[in-house]
Amino acid sequence: MGFARTCSVALVGVEGVVVEVQADLEPGVAAFTLVGLPDKSLSESRDRVRAAVVNSGGEWPQKKLTVGLSPASVPKSGSGFDLAVASAVLGASERIDPKVLADIVMIGELGLDGRVRPVRGVLPAVLAAADAGYEQVVVPECTAAEAALVPGISVLGVRSLRQLIAVLTDEPVPEEEPTEAGRPDPMLAGLCVPGTGAGTGLGGALDDAHALDLADVVGQRAARTAIEVAAAGAHHLFLQGPPGAGKTMLAERLPAILPRLTREESLEVTAVHSVAGMLPPGRPLVDVAPYCAPHHSATMQSLVGGGKGIARPGAVSLAHRGVLFLDEAPEFSTQTLDSLRQPLESGHVVIARSAGVVRLPARFLMVLAANPCPCGRHTLLGDGCECPASAVRRYQARLSGPLLDRVDLKVEVEAVTRSELAGCATGGESTRTVADRVRAARERAAARLADTGWRTNSEVPGHALRMRWPAAPGALEAAEVDLERGFLTARGLDRVLRVAWTVADLAGHDRPTAQDVALALQLRTGISRGVPMVIGAPA
């Protein structure tokens, strides 16, 4: 009788649970039994592992073989357990010393020829292993750079089961034939799977966002100010205006003026993208703010996450620490839009399924864009709107009041005039200039919030702002009048105060002045308060 054990990781959302893989050999009729709540893809590992061991020069034990995955109560899915199962079987048959395997975490899929194929979710799996106290992990060679992002853990990247056996038995490590130049590498197929996760239009911000310059946007002084305030304080934004006014252009340029992600934020974002299978090959760390723009036909599951079995990340999680842009927002279903209320408030989304409850990060900057009516000409001068008043009301009512109450900035985007287009050679400020101001404002806010768990003004509760960081005397008078008249809710007043602090940070003020609050009210309600839509402009 032989027994061996090693470890792997089961992912539940973007959180990992270390699983002990045990292999037991007993005399009897040759059979292979896999227990421990495996799914279909994991149950099929019996055939993959047997073929991989035989084709790697090993001998498959002709005994009764039982492989157990403990804890058995945790659902286990995917092919990432193959490497651990094969190693445990080889340890039970004494091909590998069982003592060597006991404290190693193994992650990887096996091909029938013994090659180790990459799987999604390597980074969160290694993070879970490190949190559990393990110091050694074995992963596919092409994901070794991703695993090495976790500090304090030794990473071994292998191309085949033969190489792993040689390393663990102190034998000469065989060289695997590299992929011929010019031929596609099939090993990369496990890293980025089209159509998985959400299929939400992600990717532009990772490579092309910095090529998009705010100087390309003609006019739109109010909208440009709103974009800057939104970036500096991570405030949600609603852009309403006729087609062709530049709403999408502004949203696409927003990620480029956001500060680069910190190390901790980069690991959070990379973990989500790794689980979703949307991590670009050759780029193991996402260090810029992601940009996610789902189509208005997206379902609620693709937006907030879901799917069969264990829920997978949706668009709100793929936009974590970045921008979620909902173009043509009224065209989304009402149920889909209202599902955003929880992540907008809490910064995460909780999805309950029969297979378990998953908590996914979802702290994003939301940008809504909408036309004023179905035809888009409701506010244009000289071009009459053909929509009846009832159609305009129904169209605008698709964005519910509770959802819009969670949006800090509401701006009317006016149509660009001929004179503005003719003078486009002297356009507005560039992305680099605005990004420098945004970074400076974020640093002021970070210094003020250094001893708290908050990072941006949009995260600070209203009572903390009123008690710990009050505005200048009399600065909130106009906002309090609006509250009494019913123009603002209590939540709206808190959000005005948050925006006022962001405006003060951009202007270099020690605390919000009456003009900062007036500009915040103007951005919040869309009603002119007699102040110019420029940060720090004289009254």
Side-chain angles (χ1 to χ4, degrees):
M1 185 178 74
F3 177 83
R5 63 184 178 87
T6 188
C7 295
S8 190
V9 178
L11 289 177
V12 183
V14 293
E15 299 175 352
V17 178
V18 176
V19 173
E20 189 177 72
V21 181
Q22 305 169 343
D24 177 71
L25 282 175
E26 296 180 358
V29 179
F32 187 174
T33 304
L34 182 64
V35 297
L37 211 58
D39 72 342
K40 180 65 174 176
S41 60
L42 182 51
S43 298
E44 292 174 349
S45 68
R46 293 176 295 185
D47 299 317
R48 290 194 301 270
V49 168
R50 182 187 291 110
V53 169
V54 173
N55 291 328
S56 297
E59 183 178 349
W60 188 259
Q62 297 302 312
K63 296 181 180 180
K64 181 182 178 182
L65 172 62
T66 303
V67 174
L69 308 175
S70 180
S73 59
V74 176
K76 303 164 190 73
S77 61
S79 55
F81 293 86
D82 289 2
L83 198 59
V85 171
S87 299
V89 171
L90 292 171
S93 62
E94 299 182 352
R95 176 67 176 88
I96 301 175
D97 185 359
K99 295 181 180 179
V100 177
L101 299 172
D103 296 325
I104 301 178
V105 175
M106 300 188 180
I107 305 162
E109 176 187 334
L110 285 175
L112 300 183
D113 57 354
R115 289 184 301 169
V116 181
R117 302 181 61 89
V119 294
R120 290 173 285 163
V122 167
L123 178 60
V126 177
L127 284 169
D131 291 341
Y134 290 88
E135 298 178 352
Q136 292 181 306
V137 297
V138 178
V139 297
E141 186 180 59
C142 48
T143 60
E146 181 182 345
L149 296 173
V150 182
I153 199 161
S154 175
V155 178
L156 173 63
V158 294
R159 289 182 61 87
S160 66
L161 183 59
R162 287 183 291 270
Q163 286 186 342
L164 178 59
I165 294 173
V167 170
L168 297 179
T169 57
D170 293 329
E171 298 175 359
V173 179
E175 291 290 336
E176 297 293 336
E177 297 182 3
T179 304
E180 296 180 15
R183 294 189 60 185
D185 187 357
M187 301 293 284
L188 298 179
L191 287 177
C192 188
V193 182
T196 58
T200 52
L202 177 76
L206 294 178
D207 301 314
D208 302 326
H210 291 282
L212 302 176
D213 201 326
L214 266 176
D216 299 335
V217 180
V218 177
Q220 308 300 355
R221 184 176 69 171
R224 289 171 63 96
T225 299
I227 286 287
E228 183 176 345
V229 173
H235 301 289
H236 305 305
L237 173 64
F238 178 38
L239 300 173
Q240 187 175 39
K247 302 185 294 294
T248 303
M249 286 184 67
L250 288 163
E252 290 175 343
R253 283 150 179 79
L254 178 56
I257 64 176
L258 291 173
R260 297 187 76 87
L261 302 179
T262 64
R263 178 74 177 184
E264 181 182 353
E265 293 170 342
S266 295
L267 290 177
E268 292 176 4
V269 174
T270 303
V272 175
H273 292 188
S274 178
V275 168
M278 305 186 78
L279 195 63
R283 187 164 187 171
L285 184 67
V286 179
D287 59 353
V288 296
Y291 174 81
C292 196
H295 191 260
H296 59 74
S297 62
T299 62
M300 185 173 66
Q301 288 76 18
S302 68
L303 196 63
V304 300
K308 296 181 179 179
I310 296 296
R312 306 201 67 83
V316 296
S317 296
L318 294 174
H320 180 58
R321 301 296 180 188
V323 177
L324 177 68
F325 177 47
L326 302 183
D327 198 7
E328 304 294 344
E331 299 296 339
F332 285 80
S333 70
T334 303
Q335 184 183 23
T336 299
L337 289 174
D338 286 342
S339 67
L340 297 175
R341 295 185 192 179
Q342 180 202 9
L344 286 175
E345 286 290 334
S346 62
H348 62 266
V349 59
V350 177
I351 305 171
R353 293 289 185 271
S354 59
V357 179
V358 175
R359 184 180 186 273
L360 298 170
R363 188 168 295 282
F364 54 88
L365 194 166
M366 182 180 69
V367 179
L368 301 174
N371 295 326
C373 67
C375 76
R377 299 194 300 269
H378 182 59
T379 58
L380 286 181
L381 299 178
D383 235 352
C385 173
E386 300 175 354
C387 305
S390 58
V392 176
R393 286 195 300 269
R394 282 196 304 269
Y395 184 80
Q396 295 179 350
R398 292 179 183 177
L399 299 177
S400 66
L403 177 65
L404 290 180
D405 198 37
R406 290 168 168 82
V407 178
D408 300 337
L409 313 173
K410 302 179 181 69
V411 178
E412 290 286 340
V413 181
E414 303 292 341
V416 180
T417 64
R418 185 177 66 176
S419 61
E420 289 174 331
L421 285 173
C424 63
T426 58
E429 294 176 312
S430 66
T431 291
R432 184 181 297 274
T433 302
V434 177
D436 289 341
R437 284 203 302 269
V438 169
R439 184 174 61 254
R442 286 278 186 117
E443 290 172 354
R444 292 189 187 98
R448 184 172 61 253
L449 305 173
D451 60 341
T452 69
W454 307 306
R455 303 185 185 185
T456 59
N457 291 326
S458 64
E459 301 175 27
V460 185
H463 68 86
L465 285 176
R466 291 189 295 271
M467 300 300 295
R468 296 185 60 179
W469 301 287
L476 289 176
E477 183 178 349
E480 292 168 350
V481 170
D482 280 5
L483 178 65
E484 293 177 355
R485 292 177 176 176
F487 297 151
L488 282 178
T489 63
R491 180 195 289 127
L493 180 62
D494 288 345
R495 292 186 177 275
V496 167
L497 187 54
R498 294 170 187 167
V499 175
W501 265 108
T502 301
V503 173
D505 288 335
L506 285 168
H509 298 159
D510 293 334
R511 55 180 175 171
T513 64
Q515 184 176 348
D516 296 332
V517 175
L519 181 55
L521 279 170
Q522 196 161 294
L523 289 169
R524 166 76 183 179
T525 63
I527 301 173
S528 176
R529 305 287 171 157
V531 295
M533 291 291 286
V534 178
I535 302 296

